[in-house]
Amino acid sequence: MDSALASDDRAVYLPHTVRVAAKILVVGHFAVGKTTYVGSLSEIRPLRTEETMTQAGALIDDLRGTEDKTTTTVAMDFGRLTLSESLVLYLFGAPGQQRFTRLWRDMTNGALGALVLADTRRLEQSFPVMAVLEEHGLPYAVAVNQFEGSPRFAEPEVREALDLLPETPLVTCDARDRISSTHALIALVQYLQARQTRSSQEIV
């Protein structure tokens, strides 16, 4: 799904006033909606590295609830979102399959934080993703992508199932919807800002 702004040539180039660029990762297990999420937010036509799924991949990847899925990301998704005259976010979507873990370990370099997309039908598959982020000391928020027909649980239940720390943001979103995706991103950015403020106060 391409961004609504992708066809506007004026959106391709950054304003000359931009002084700060921040890198945010969008991560999660296979078929959780990362490509869709980046596409819904990006103000430019997102870079995608999708390939047609083969029968060999079907034997490895868990297709529960996504039987109609025909393509998968094999490197990364990339999008851009300008937040102000001086600040721009670069969104990097990482492939979700375990065999690509080494690739997106490298993608954590220089990232301020990550948004973990989760699916209530397969919450257990989020643990390896969060483990890599924690291993690299990368703060993250969790956004439950609400698929049609997926079970709905109260926030405390999801938080307990994912064993999240009390301060880790947990929100719901529809990765297809720009406004909903924006709210999830705001939750992450506010969390990162709060952490930065606390760190500055501790140093002082």
Side-chain angles (χ1 to χ4, degrees), residues 38-49:
V38 172
S40 71
L41 279 180
S42 182
E43 65 194 13
I44 59 174
R45 187 176 299 279
L47 169 67
R48 292 172 174 163
T49 56

Side-chain angles (χ1 to χ4, degrees), residues 1-6 33-46 48 77-79 91 175-176 178 181:
M1 180 169 114
D2 291 331
S3 165
L5 297 180
K34 300 177 295 295
T35 297
T36 300
Y37 182 89
V38 172
S40 71
L41 279 180
S42 182
E43 65 194 13
I44 59 174
R45 187 176 299 279
R48 292 172 174 163
D77 299 304
F78 173 78
L91 305 174
R176 301 167 299 181
R178 182 178 180 84
S181 296

